Amino acid sequence: MEITWAVLAALFQFRIATAEWLRRLTAPDAGIEKMRARLRRLRSEGLAAELVLPQSGRTRGWFLTEHGVRIAGAFSELAHIPAPRTPGDETAFKYT
């Protein structure tokens, strides 16, 4: 649970990140598949979504949904950080 909290907090602060970047930041000793599973669980809970990053080939970026922003924004540790904007859909997110 602690690493999942850290992933939500990282996405709240940095807006978008790859699974590899999140793994290195929050669980450097874990394998990438564990991070991908954690991110898929966040997606299934409606807290995060993914998209293929522009001009990256197949690299996927993860970001918080509006629901994820509301949840992470309630963490007292993030109270001083402005909430990231969340456009309505994946296509809009690429360009904001």
Side-chain angles (χ1 to χ4, degrees):
M1 187 56 128
E2 185 175 315
I3 292 174
T4 301
W5 179 92
V7 170
L8 286 171
L11 288 173
F12 186 87
Q13 293 174 75
F14 299 111
R15 191 165 176 234
I16 191 166
T18 64
E20 177 60 19
W21 189 84
L22 290 166
R23 183 196 67 79
R24 288 181 185 196
L25 181 67
T26 62
D29 296 331
I32 189 65
E33 284 309 313
K34 284 190 177 208
M35 180 56 64
R36 287 182 181 137
R38 184 172 284 113
L39 289 164
R40 285 190 302 268
R41 188 175 65 237
L42 290 174
R43 181 181 57 206
S44 73
E45 294 172 353
L47 300 173
E50 64 181 319
L51 56 81
V52 175
L53 296 171
Q55 302 175 355
S56 70
R58 296 175 10 156
T59 303
R60 297 192 171 276
W62 288 85
F63 60 94
L64 294 179
T65 62
E66 289 182 32
H67 182 58
V69 168
R70 282 193 304 276
I71 297 296
F75 299 161
S76 61
E77 295 85 351
L78 302 175
H80 66 285
I81 299 171
R85 292 184 329 198
T86 54
D89 64 38
E90 185 179 298
T91 302
F93 194 87
K94 290 180 183 181
Y95 302 104
T96 60

